Amino acid sequence: MFKKILIANRGEIACRVAATARRMAIKTVAVYSDADAKAKHVGFCDEAIHIGGSAPKDSYLRWERIIEAAKATGAEAIHPGYGFLSENEEFAQACVDNGLAFIGPPPSAIKAMGLKAESKQLMEKAGVPLVPGYHGSDQSPMLLKREADRIGYPVLIKASAGGGGKGMRAVERSEDFDAALESCKREAINSFGDDAVLVEKYAQRPRHIEIQVFGDTQGNYVYLFERDCSVQRRHQKVLEEAPAPGLSEALRQQMGEAAVAAARAVHYVGAGTVEFIVEQAANGGMKFYFMEMNTRLQVEHPVTEAITGLDLVEWQLLVAAGHKLPLAQDQLRIKGHAIEARICAESPDNNFLPATGSLHVYQKPQSVSFERGPVRIDDGVRQGDLISPFYDSMVAKLIVHGTTREEALARLDAALAQIHIVGLSTNVQFLRYVVRSPSFVAADLDTALIPREAPVLFNQEPVGLAMAVASAVAHTLLEEKALEADDPFSRRDGWRSHGVMRRTLDFEFHDKAVSAVLTYLHDGALLLTVGETSGPLVFSPSASGIDVRFAGQRNSVHLYKNSDLCHVFTGYGATHIVAIDVLAHAGDSHAESGRLTAPMPGKVVSFAIKAGDTVQKGQALAVMEAMKMEHTIAAPADGVVTELLYAPGDQVAEGAELLKIGV
Ligand code: ADP
Ligand code: ADP
Ligand code: MG
């Protein structure tokens, strides 16, 4: 076995790989960029080498530097994680050429599966069922359109070199094909440097079910069952689970064998995932089609670990060191049910716009164990860390395991409720809504789940005004009591001398000013009035926060205060409320919405208009790229563009004005 490996990645996956290496007594070398100088993975590894600037192209994608770092530290192998260089055959080849083991498949297998069109041609030969479509090399727009007409609408145009949900366009009608093709090709050349596309039948309400495969250098293959990753947004996974609900044993075996055939066809070695699109017929029948193969460890591999009891990174290391696969197919079993939720820094209610900022509070669920416990968190951050705009918005992964799906679901909801993040927007509350949505509960899974359940997923109010105010009041009074203990002269609850005392407290809840009246009664009891609601307020500190009772509700509340902003976490969900300290604030203004400014630091991709153009409210003006996603900046009102302040390709700071509009 290797004595030392280098991990050419960052964040949670770098920590995840390092943990297994440590357990196997293998030393680890981290690499890091400027932005990651203090990142968790740097301290987590035995050694760390700085490899360059914050942008991935200046560090995590600079493979010459990474290979140099491996040689300088005496590492014998490189684990690429996922993303970055993990599916770069030149890098894999360079490792081999430099006498380093690449912990992944041979370069030839990466190449064979790298382009979706070519890999489909290969799979066709290997007898793996394909989504009906065109994946030939003739790219003339006329031919592509003819093929789309033949396949029948809706069709999906896909960048052959695409990944991460980018470079895809759904086309509903023949007359829209040309425009969609043009825009898909443009995105493909910009994102992947290759504008070749394929055209596929666009399956309606399909499921995404993928098979984890493993191969060794002796030609042995197994499949470690499936993962259902149907719950997606922007064609990217949100929740993943194993086993796939409703998948018959026969179909599981058929898909597993098809995936192994795919791996065998490219002489695959190590961990890989074969992604299938599964169509469900009205009579419950399922048909599966090959979509693509990801030649790396997948983000969602922990659900497979949870149901098999295996450590896939350990298997990767064993195979890369030339060992035989530890188990054969007939020794593998599925135990229980596992679900993973991707915790991302983003605003689901704002079209999943990625968020940046500091993790002022980062509280994890109780009873977390790193590996294979019933509740597992894989993360690459600590409280206080900055989520920068340079990398992916995924902050952590929460993985739960249960004997049944119901048990796993209940555990997932409970664990999500215990994740407290303050400092930036996250999808934690959104995930709770998804997990509790009728479709998810009933395992009615398909890629349209999020749009279908939208009414119960977006713009929800988990904690009402009354409870938010009651929590903030309880917290304030407890704070005052703590102060009072230190300083007996600063008592604020003067009820003893004045009999009944009333106090007005001001709040702002969802941009609306709210006044609450607190009455101190003779017997020491408290009466709280918030709008129409009035009643006794009872609270007491508890081991897990504050137990608050008001207006017929009882809640265990955690409240984190950041100046006057109170972040309230309850069993039902989280919200925030501003407790206004009247003296401290005068004339604060709120950020204007709809200004023509960069919503986050990033790069200007293009302008859809030029100076002098007349624009209408809502019209797309510019496209920005940040956190690997494109964001469209729309006109807040009708007007005339007077000046563009940046050029495509420019890097801009958060809040920078992008262009000027006159009325
Ligand atoms: P998985 O299929 O393992 O869930 P994803 O498709 O979500 O993986 O991608 C895994 C990671 O790699 C994510 O961080 C994703 O943003 C990144 N990624 C995947 N493909 C690309 C690509 N072509 N270019 C840049 N990043 C990518
Ligand atoms: P990426 O490389 O970005 O992961 P994939 O080809 O794996 O691209 O597709 C990503 C997602 O897009 C799939 O998980 C699925 O939800 C959706 N998708 C892909 N192909 C089809 C199709 N032919 N019909 C319907 N949905 C599809
Ligand atoms: Mg995919």
Side-chain angles (χ1 to χ4, degrees):
M1 184 40 69
F2 309 117
K3 294 205 164 41
K4 194 191 264 190
I5 62 168
L6 180 142
I7 303 169
N9 214 298
R10 62 179 303 282
E12 67 89 14
I13 194 63
C15 297
R16 159 73 193 90
V17 171
T20 290
R22 176 180 303 166
R23 198 167 54 69
M24 295 172 71
I26 300 169
K27 292 258 182 275
T28 51
V29 181
V31 290
Y32 64 95
S33 66
D34 288 346
D36 279 340
K38 294 190 186 124
K40 180 173 169 183
H41 77 278
V42 173
F44 214 76
C45 293
D46 298 301
E47 288 169 70
I49 304 281
H50 176 248
I51 49 166
S54 301
K57 68 169 179 25
D58 299 327
S59 48
Y60 299 107
L61 293 174
R62 280 178 77 180
W63 50 268
E64 304 84 353
R65 285 298 299 272
I66 292 173
I67 286 175
E68 260 170 50
K71 289 171 128 177
T73 53
E76 298 148 90
I78 297 189
H79 194 302
Y82 54 70
F84 297 128
L85 295 168
S86 61
E87 294 178 275
N88 184 318
E89 83 240 25
E90 283 174 71
F91 175 65
Q93 187 60 52
C95 289
V96 177
D97 295 345
N98 282 277
L100 298 158
F102 176 74
I103 304 169
S108 56
I110 301 180
K111 185 169 190 317
M113 290 295 186
L115 294 173
K116 294 185 205 284
E118 271 84 344
S119 71
K120 288 182 83 174
Q121 290 163 17
L122 262 172
M123 291 303 106
E124 199 162 32
K125 284 202 203 106
V128 179
L130 302 182
V131 184
Y134 170 78
H135 45 264
S137 52
D138 188 339
Q139 292 284 309
S140 85
M142 259 175 49
L143 174 98
L144 291 171
K145 171 129 188 265
R146 218 169 37 239
E147 288 293 332
D149 291 345
R150 177 185 62 82
I151 297 160
Y153 295 87
V155 297
L156 193 61
I157 310 175
K158 270 190 200 177
S160 187
K166 267 181 139 185
M168 288 197 262
R169 293 287 183 284
V171 189
E172 300 289 332
R173 306 174 310 170
S174 181
E175 47 276 42
D176 300 335
F177 186 86
D178 293 332
L181 176 66
E182 212 172 289
S183 116
C184 185
K185 279 188 173 286
R186 201 165 47 231
E187 184 172 307
I189 199 90
N190 283 336
S191 303
F192 313 109
D194 176 350
D195 71 354
V197 299
L198 55 91
V199 184
E200 280 180 0
K201 175 171 177 281
Y202 189 34
Q204 296 306 291
R205 298 188 52 172
R207 283 169 74 173
H208 170 123
I209 301 181
E210 58 186 33
I211 305 285
Q212 176 72 54
V213 292
F214 242 101
D216 65 21
T217 48
Q218 286 110 76
N220 301 302
Y221 291 94
V222 294
Y223 59 90
L224 300 175
F225 314 111
E226 77 281 5
R227 294 182 287 256
D228 188 314
C229 314
S230 301
V231 183
Q232 303 185 345
R233 55 126 178 70
R234 303 178 191 269
H235 300 298
Q236 279 183 321
K237 299 156 189 168
V238 175
L239 287 157
E240 303 102 341
E241 60 183 291
L247 190 71
S248 69
E249 208 44 64
L251 197 54
R252 171 169 299 124
Q253 189 180 340
Q254 246 182 300
M255 291 178 74
E257 283 166 4
V260 164
R264 207 185 285 278
V266 296
H267 307 288
Y268 201 81
V269 176
T273 294
V274 182
E275 298 189 329
F276 294 100
I277 198 104
V278 176
E279 277 197 299
Q280 316 187 85
N283 64 5
M286 291 185 182
K287 263 195 179 157
F288 68 93
Y289 305 101
F290 172 85
M291 207 161 31
E292 65 163 344
M293 180 169 187
N294 291 329
T295 53
R296 54 173 158 90
L297 189 68
Q298 204 99 338
V299 173
E300 59 275 19
H301 75 278
V303 293
T304 301
E305 298 186 321
I307 60 151
T308 57
L310 301 170
D311 179 334
L312 298 198
V313 174
E314 179 185 344
W315 276 40
Q316 285 191 298
L317 291 163
L318 290 171
V319 164
H323 294 249
K324 194 170 164 255
L325 286 178
L327 297 173
Q329 194 64 51
D330 59 8
Q331 293 173 294
L332 292 160
R333 297 273 176 284
I334 297 178
K335 293 178 214 82
H337 198 94
I339 313 178
E340 173 182 279
R342 298 191 187 193
I343 316 281
C344 298
E346 63 186 20
S347 307
D349 287 346
N350 192 5
N351 207 9
F352 299 98
L353 185 74
T356 53
S358 285
L359 288 166
H360 293 308
V361 175
Y362 175 46
Q363 183 77 41
K364 302 184 212 184
Q366 289 135 25
S367 80
V368 164
S369 68
F370 185 80
E371 270 172 291
R372 286 172 267 157
V375 176
R376 162 175 169 183
I377 288 256
D378 279 18
D379 62 14
V381 292
R382 294 152 306 196
Q383 183 159 296
D385 283 357
L386 188 72
I387 304 296
S388 74
F390 300 107
Y391 314 110
D392 203 85
S393 61
M394 194 173 77
V395 178
K397 306 187 301 204
L398 168 65
I399 306 101
V400 297
H401 185 242
T403 48
T404 60
R405 186 172 191 269
E406 290 65 42
E407 192 182 298
L409 249 160
R411 196 162 275 157
L412 179 57
D413 189 47
L416 282 168
Q418 291 173 19
I419 296 183
H420 300 165
I421 296 177
V422 172
L424 73 187
S425 303
T426 72
N427 63 343
V428 173
Q429 185 62 42
F430 171 78
L431 289 168
R432 294 193 69 193
Y433 290 132
V434 177
V435 167
R436 289 191 253 163
S437 69
S439 297
F440 197 75
V441 170
D444 180 11
L445 306 173
D446 59 72
T447 57
L449 186 143
I450 289 178
R452 177 167 71 247
E453 293 284 6
V456 295
L457 304 183
F458 298 102
N459 301 306
Q460 301 294 301
E461 190 45 78
V463 182
L465 171 70
M467 202 61 205
V469 168
S471 303
V473 170
H475 181 81
T476 303
L477 296 183
L478 285 171
E479 254 186 357
E480 288 176 4
K481 202 163 177 190
L483 281 177
E484 202 179 275
D486 295 342
D487 172 11
F489 299 104
S490 69
R491 305 185 69 95
R492 292 230 220 156
D493 56 344
W495 59 272
R496 277 169 225 259
S497 48
H498 296 100
V500 174
M501 191 190 106
R502 291 163 87 98
R503 218 173 129 184
T504 303
L505 295 123
D506 292 307
F507 297 96
E508 207 178 276
F509 190 61
H510 299 303
D511 297 327
K512 283 203 192 78
V514 181
S515 283
V517 177
L518 187 66
T519 310
Y520 294 75
L521 303 175
H522 289 291
D523 58 0
L526 297 168
L527 189 78
L528 180 66
T529 305
V530 188
E532 307 286 285
T533 313
S534 194
L537 171 67
V538 180
F539 61 90
S540 57
S542 73
S544 58
I546 315 175
D547 185 49
V548 180
R549 296 177 211 198
F550 179 61
Q553 283 190 61
R554 180 179 175 176
N555 251 318
S556 181
V557 172
H558 282 263
L559 195 145
Y560 304 90
K561 208 165 171 187
N562 191 357
S563 89
D564 53 6
L565 185 57
C566 306
H567 298 268
V568 183
F569 293 85
T570 78
Y572 300 98
T575 191
H576 42 80
I577 180 165
V578 182
I580 298 170
D581 186 341
V582 186
L583 295 181
H585 292 272
D588 280 5
S589 64
H590 291 278
E592 278 173 60
S593 55
R595 283 197 318 167
L596 296 167
T597 53
M600 60 182 53
K603 195 174 85 179
V604 177
V605 175
S606 62
F607 284 102
I609 38 77
K610 54 187 187 319
D613 283 359
T614 303
V615 296
Q616 284 174 350
K617 182 177 173 173
Q619 183 179 337
L621 302 178
V623 176
M624 270 194 65
E625 188 186 286
M627 300 185 96
K628 297 199 301 213
M629 279 213 262
E630 292 195 352
H631 310 281
T632 303
I633 315 289
D638 295 354
V640 176
V641 178
T642 52
E643 197 184 352
L644 303 185
L645 301 168
Y646 288 93
D650 285 352
Q651 204 64 40
V652 295
E654 179 172 349
E657 199 172 5
L658 298 174
L659 57 123
K660 286 189 189 296
I661 289 196
V663 232

